[in-house]
């Protein structure tokens, strides 16, 4: 009777413990997650980030990625008027000329922004902006008194920012900025400006049908030359930068594989009987792979200077450690029977490795090498931004300007396409080399 009572008490205790454990898990885990999210909320200053976020800046950034703006600028000191796409010299219209929506005259220049929005540059630096539904805004910038503006109403709307020395009017049609020294109109257009041909090309402004017609008529070489040497988009330089990036990844990955394979034999237990050699080789691998490629890039750039070769060396050093560890583990798992069978034929040690070991680990080696080649193609973009080579450098330069966001979009699209191509190529090559051709033979 006492034993039965003790057993019942024991079972009841176990049931109570299991019940408490489940309750703790059901309530403790959500509480822990909530505490962690609360910590992140304050540690990363999410409230401050929300306050600093500006919708207008975000909207302008997104718009700049798929559109461009044409500048119509008047120098208020000399009276000269110029028209340029993105305000760059490479996109400047010839003197006294501009886009079709700008009528340049000796005394007055009329800028038709569409939908009834008209800006007029008059004599003596006078400027007016006729805004439909609001009225005529006039301004007279002078060196002594600043920007003297007159509005149709006493109330200043939010889309007008006016002070003594500067006035900015932003509408859906465009933007007018007036200072003492400059009056400038910005008008946005969807697309990437002068992507195919610059203004000095005879093919600028032509439709695709007419360009194709001229190409078929024998002008294909000149058309290609004008596109390939585009001064604004630099297609030739971009293509070379992509090649440098892929070459950087290829040299680093393949070089690491060639260095790591012989060293992997020294780190494998079944091929290196001396523990000292194994441990030294393994620590060698740990040291190289323990330091990220970006750190090696900075160190090598300091030692050898910037350049694509520096990036390739950084990838080589890091991947040597990674490959060494993976290759040594693959060697430790080889089938000894195949090696013994070749050894029974009187084969020498190198022959045993060549015909008994390498064929077994080749699929693993190729799979890992091709995977790292694909991954290093992405890494080479960032490394190139530090070492001064490849598409990464061009991407960084475009971002630093804070204005060429359409070029940033262009480079990002190319990087994505490059990674997709390398992914497809590595997968195709893996099937060919490891699994045979597509027919299975």
């Amino acid at each position: 009777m006492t034993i039965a009572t003790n057993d019942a008490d024991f079972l009841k205790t176990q049931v109570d413990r299991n019940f408490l454990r489940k309750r703790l898990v059901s309530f403790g885990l959500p509480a822990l997650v909530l505490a962690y999210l609360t910590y992140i909320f304050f540690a990363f200053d999410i409230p401050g980030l929300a306050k600093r976020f500006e919708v207008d800046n975000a909207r302008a950034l997104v718009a700049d990625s798929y559109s461009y703006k044409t500048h119509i600028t008047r120098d208020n000191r000399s009276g000269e008027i110029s028209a340029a796409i993105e305000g760059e010299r490479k996109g400047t219209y010839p003197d006294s000329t501009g886009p079709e929506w700008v009528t340049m005259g000796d005394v007055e220049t009329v800028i038709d922004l569409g939908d009834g929005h008209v800006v007029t540059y008059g004599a003596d630096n006078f400027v007016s902006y006729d805004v439909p539904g609001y009225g005529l805004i006039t301004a007279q910038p002078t060196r002594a008194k600043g920007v003297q503006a007159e509005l149709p109403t006493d109330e200043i709307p939010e889309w007008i920012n006016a002070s003594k020395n500067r006035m900015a009017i932003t509408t859906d049609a465009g933007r007018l900025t007036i200072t003492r020294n400059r009056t400038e109109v910005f008008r946005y257009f969807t697309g990437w400006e002068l992507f195919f041909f610059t203004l000095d090309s005879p093919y600028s402004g032509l439709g695709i049908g007419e360009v194709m017609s001229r190409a078929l008529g024998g002008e294909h070489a000149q058309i290609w030359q004008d596109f390939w040497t585009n001064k604004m988009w630099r297609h030739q330089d971009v293509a070379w930068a992509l090649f440098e990036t892929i070459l950087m990844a290829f040299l680093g990955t393949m070089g690491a594989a060639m260095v790591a394979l012989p060293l992997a034999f020294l780190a494998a237990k079944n091929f290196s009987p001396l523990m000292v050699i194994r441990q030294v080789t393994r620590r060698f691998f740990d040291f190289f792979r323990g330091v990220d490629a970006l750190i090696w890039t900075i160190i090598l750039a300091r030692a050898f200077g910037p350049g694509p070769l520096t990036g390739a060396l950084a990838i080589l050093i890091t991947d040597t450690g990674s490959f060494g560890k993976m290759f040594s583990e693959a060697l430790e798992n080889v089938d000894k029977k195949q090696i013994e069978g070749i050894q029974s034929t009187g084969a020498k040690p190198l022959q045993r490795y060549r015909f008994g070991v390498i064929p077994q680990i080749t699929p693993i080696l190729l799979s890992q090498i091709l995977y790292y080649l694909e991954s290093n193609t992405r890494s080479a973009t960032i490394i190139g931004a530090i070492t001064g080579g490849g598409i990464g450098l061009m991407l960084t330069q475009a971002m630093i300007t804070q204005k060429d966001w359409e070029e940033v979009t262009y480079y990002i699209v190319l990087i994505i396409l490059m990674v997709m191509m390398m992914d497809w190529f590595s997968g195709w090559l893996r099937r060919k080399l490891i699994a045979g051709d597509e027919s299975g033979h």
Side-chain angles (χ1 to χ4, degrees):
M1 185 69 178
T2 303
I3 296 175
T5 302
N6 291 338
D7 290 343
D9 293 340
F10 176 77
L11 291 174
K12 184 176 183 303
T13 302
Q14 290 297 108
V15 170
D16 291 341
R17 287 179 179 177
N18 292 335
F19 176 76
L20 289 174
R21 189 180 297 111
K22 291 180 180 179
R23 297 288 289 182
L24 287 174
V25 171
S26 61
F27 287 103
L29 187 59
L32 183 62
V33 172
L34 180 61
Y36 178 68
L37 294 177
T38 304
Y39 168 76
I40 291 177
F41 183 80
F42 291 102
F44 288 90
D45 191 22
I46 302 300
L49 180 63
K51 292 180 180 178
R52 293 190 298 270
F53 177 74
E54 296 185 9
V55 178
D56 292 338
N57 290 343
R59 187 183 299 112
L61 176 61
V62 173
D64 285 344
S65 66
Y66 63 83
S67 63
Y68 68 96
K69 58 182 178 293
T70 301
H71 299 228
I72 310 299
T73 307
R74 180 178 64 188
D75 189 333
N76 292 335
R77 292 165 296 185
S78 63
E80 294 182 358
I81 298 177
S82 61
I85 293 178
E86 287 295 339
E88 295 188 13
R89 292 183 178 179
K90 294 174 290 186
T92 303
Y93 284 83
D95 293 340
S96 301
T97 62
E100 58 183 9
W101 44 274
V102 178
T103 304
M104 293 191 177
D106 296 333
V107 178
E108 188 177 81
T109 297
V110 180
I111 305 168
D112 186 357
L113 299 178
D115 297 328
H117 292 258
V118 178
V119 177
T120 303
Y121 292 168
D124 299 326
N125 294 335
F126 176 83
V127 59
S128 67
Y129 187 178
D130 189 2
V131 181
Y134 179 72
L136 184 67
I137 303 171
T138 61
Q140 184 76 50
T142 61
R143 297 284 295 174
K145 298 181 180 181
V147 179
Q148 296 177 305
E150 293 185 9
L151 305 179
T153 62
D154 295 334
E155 184 179 353
I156 301 178
E158 295 181 354
W159 43 274
I160 296 179
N161 187 350
S163 64
K164 178 182 178 182
N165 297 319
R166 185 177 183 274
M167 183 177 186
I169 305 171
T170 305
T171 65
D172 294 336
R175 179 175 178 175
L176 170 64
T177 303
I178 308 169
T179 63
R180 294 184 179 188
N181 299 324
R182 174 181 295 184
T183 302
E184 194 165 23
V185 169
F186 308 94
R187 187 180 183 187
Y188 283 86
F189 293 90
T190 302
W192 289 346
E193 80 288 359
L194 307 181
F195 182 79
F196 294 100
F197 308 107
T198 51
L199 293 172
D200 57 353
S201 170
Y203 308 106
S204 177
L206 299 181
I208 185 172
E210 189 171 355
V211 173
M212 292 298 297
S213 176
R214 292 195 180 189
L216 296 175
E219 299 181 29
H220 57 276
Q222 182 61 39
I223 292 174
W224 172 255
Q225 180 68 16
D226 285 7
F227 168 79
W228 190 240
T229 58
N230 188 309
K231 296 178 182 178
M232 289 194 69
W233 289 88
R234 301 183 297 167
H235 300 300
Q236 186 176 12
D237 295 337
V238 171
W240 176 251
L242 288 172
F243 173 75
E244 275 189 344
T245 302
I246 296 175
L247 184 63
M248 196 186 309
F250 179 82
L251 291 177
T253 306
M254 296 305 170
M258 290 187 290
V259 173
L261 182 58
L263 294 177
F265 282 92
L266 299 178
K269 292 181 180 179
N270 48 344
F271 291 96
S272 180
L274 297 177
M275 181 181 295
V276 175
I277 296 178
R278 291 201 308 270
Q279 293 300 322
V280 170
T281 307
R282 289 180 180 181
R283 300 295 78 78
F284 175 80
F285 291 151
D286 292 340
F287 172 71
F288 279 163
R289 70 188 179 89
V291 180
D292 192 79
L294 290 177
I295 306 300
W296 286 118
T297 301
I298 298 173
I299 296 173
L300 293 173
R302 179 73 174 177
F304 301 108
L309 184 59
T310 302
L313 288 174
I315 295 175
L316 185 150
I317 292 175
T318 304
D319 285 2
T320 295
S322 301
F323 284 154
K325 176 178 174 59
M326 290 184 291
F327 292 174
S328 62
E329 292 176 352
L331 289 170
E332 290 177 350
N333 291 288
V334 296
D335 186 2
K336 296 181 180 180
K337 294 181 180 180
Q338 294 189 28
I339 303 175
E340 293 172 354
I342 295 176
Q343 185 178 3
S344 64
T345 63
K348 297 180 180 180
L350 287 178
Q351 293 174 325
R352 294 200 298 269
Y353 294 162
R354 166 65 181 84
F355 298 102
V357 177
I358 299 300
Q360 293 189 58
I361 65 173
T362 294
I364 300 176
L365 265 61
L366 289 176
S367 178
Q368 294 296 336
I369 290 171
L370 291 174
Y371 171 77
Y372 270 75
L373 176 61
E374 173 195 339
S375 177
N376 288 334
T377 303
R378 297 190 299 270
S379 300
T381 302
I382 307 301
I383 291 175
I386 299 175
T387 61
I391 194 66
L393 176 62
M394 302 188 73
L395 177 62
T396 305
Q397 290 175 341
M399 295 177 69
I400 288 175
T401 61
Q402 290 292 318
K403 65 175 184 177
D404 296 329
W405 291 106
E406 66 276 10
E407 290 188 18
V408 173
T409 306
Y410 176 45
Y411 299 148
I412 290 176
V413 169
L414 290 178
I415 291 170
I416 293 174
L417 292 176
M418 177 183 66
V419 172
M420 291 174 61
M421 182 196 71
M422 291 302 298
D423 179 38
W424 170 84
F425 174 74
S426 63
W428 174 82
L429 195 59
R430 189 182 296 111
R431 291 193 299 271
K432 287 289 185 181
L433 298 178
I434 299 176
D437 58 25
E438 295 180 356
S439 62
H441 301 292

